[in-house]
Amino acid sequence: MKPTTPAAAPESAAAPSGDAPAAETDTTVPDGAVPAAPGRRGAVLRLLFVAPAVLYMLAFFGYPLVRNVVMSFQHFTPRTYFTGEAPFNGLDNWRGVFGNPLFTDSLWHTLLFTAGSLLGQFVIGLALAVFFSRRFRLSGFVRAVLLLPWLVPMVVSAVVWRKLLDQDTGVLNTFLMDLHLTSSAVPWLSSPDVALLSAVLVNIWIGIPFNMVILYGGLQEIPRDLYEAAALDGAGPWRTFRGLTLPLLRPVVTVVLILGFMSTVKILDLILALTGGGPADSTQTLGTVTYQLSFQQLNFGQGAVVGNILILISAVFAVFYLRANRSDFGQGK
């Protein structure tokens, strides 16, 4: 009888575990993806992409900001442009600004002008946005017409309104007296008691389209199913608006109000073209005071102080905007 030979062991079992070939790693790059650059090369590439934006911000925002802060502590005159001499005078410019009654009045006017403008623009813009959210014939055409005040340059709008609000030849006074709503012409731009209100009304007219467009876009993002569910639950229009529309519209409202504040608090061209800061400085704002000190009185140091105050106010609300934007959108509220 022939001796039996043992059966050959499988190759996978015969091979020692230490000699097993390592599993191959898939190093293929998906279509359209950019392979990550290794180590230092990747960091250099990232810096090269960011460098143009950083240089632009430093050249056109950083340097003027620092220069304006330094100028507020210098005795800077027109002669400085030729001699380069601008000696430091400590806090003299700041004392001069805070001791000037015009600065206190202009700060108060700026707050009234900004608050009145934002309130009127938002309320009317939201009402128009809700109105146009319901489809009807020619709604697109009417919305396009309402955008015209926003598209026209502000100086042009101010000049047109200055003609309309003229006490003697203005169309508005003629219209009011023809309807017997007033017995005499209203001094819209020539009375210290009415001029600031007139400027607020004109700015409201200019800013309504911006508020309407942004809020209308926010309303379109609210699902229609929620309104149908609210109607089935018996909620009326006001309850639906207060309990459904406003909470879901809160992120958009935050953006509209803060951007509106930042553009209104530093307004200059509208006031200059409409009233020039008068009458009797009744429409002077921080923006017009900065212009008056720097380019009319040539007191560049005090003008820089008021400019820094405006920058500080805008920066505070910019930080508030970024925090609100992060909390509303980053957390999905």
Side-chain angles (χ1 to χ4, degrees):
M1 179 182 294
K2 296 182 179 180
T4 59
T5 58
E11 295 181 2
S12 59
S17 60
D19 297 333
E24 295 182 359
T25 303
D26 187 8
T27 59
T28 59
V29 179
D31 294 339
V34 179
R40 183 177 300 176
R41 182 179 170 216
V44 172
L45 288 177
R46 288 191 292 270
L47 290 176
L48 289 178
F49 279 113
V50 175
V54 173
L55 293 177
Y56 177 84
M57 294 292 292
L58 291 176
F60 294 99
F61 291 94
Y63 174 76
L65 177 61
V66 173
R67 193 71 188 89
N68 196 70
V69 173
V70 174
M71 189 183 297
S72 66
F73 298 97
Q74 292 178 318
H75 181 63
F76 204 97
T77 64
R79 184 181 177 184
T80 305
Y81 289 102
F82 300 97
T83 63
E85 299 177 357
F88 283 87
N89 58 2
L91 298 175
D92 290 348
N93 293 327
W94 293 82
R95 294 193 191 99
V97 168
F98 286 109
N100 189 352
L102 180 60
F103 170 76
T104 305
D105 294 340
S106 66
L107 181 59
W108 176 244
H109 296 159
T110 301
L111 294 177
L112 289 178
F113 179 83
T114 303
S117 298
L118 291 182
L119 180 62
Q121 291 172 0
F122 175 76
V123 171
I124 301 177
L126 180 59
L128 290 175
V130 173
F131 173 75
F132 285 112
S133 63
R134 300 179 180 181
R135 301 288 181 175
F136 60 92
R137 297 181 62 182
L138 299 179
S139 62
F141 174 77
V142 177
R143 288 202 312 270
V145 172
L146 290 177
L147 285 176
L148 291 179
W150 191 29
L151 300 177
V152 177
M154 189 171 292
V155 174
V156 176
S157 299
V159 172
V160 171
W161 273 102
R162 186 168 185 170
K163 298 295 182 182
L164 295 175
L165 297 176
D166 187 83
Q167 182 176 355
D168 299 323
T169 61
V171 175
L172 183 58
N173 277 333
T174 303
F175 177 75
L176 293 177
M177 287 188 293
D178 289 343
L179 294 179
H180 302 287
L181 297 177
T182 58
S183 57
S184 60
V186 180
W188 295 104
L189 302 177
S190 56
S191 172
D193 299 328
V194 186
L196 185 61
L197 174 62
S198 302
V200 170
L201 294 177
V202 173
N203 195 49
I204 289 175
W205 179 82
I206 293 174
I208 285 174
F210 172 78
N211 286 258
M212 181 190 70
V213 169
I214 303 301
L215 294 172
Y216 176 81
L219 288 174
Q220 300 308 304
E221 296 299 323
I222 300 177
R224 300 294 100 182
D225 297 343
L226 298 179
Y227 289 105
E228 296 176 0
L232 292 176
D233 290 338
W238 171 245
R239 184 179 177 185
T240 301
F241 177 78
R242 182 171 53 89
L244 178 62
T245 303
L246 279 182
L248 294 178
L249 204 60
R250 190 184 67 173
V252 181
V253 171
T254 302
V255 171
V256 167
L257 291 180
I258 297 181
L259 291 182
F261 175 88
M262 295 176 64
S263 63
T264 304
V265 72
K266 59 183 179 61
I267 200 166
L268 172 65
D269 43 3
L270 174 65
I271 302 295
L272 289 181
L274 192 62
T275 63
D281 295 329
S282 61
T283 57
Q284 290 279 11
T285 62
L286 292 179
T288 59
V289 169
T290 303
Y291 174 82
Q292 180 177 331
L293 289 174
S294 299
F295 300 105
Q296 292 182 346
Q297 301 180 12
L298 300 181
N299 193 337
F300 300 105
Q302 292 190 9
V305 171
V306 182
N308 289 331
I309 294 173
L310 266 177
I311 293 173
L312 180 61
I313 295 174
S314 300
V316 169
F317 275 84
V319 172
F320 177 74
Y321 164 70
L322 293 176
R323 291 178 63 89
N325 189 36
R326 181 177 58 185
S327 62
D328 286 338
F329 293 102
Q331 298 179 5
K333 292 184 179 179

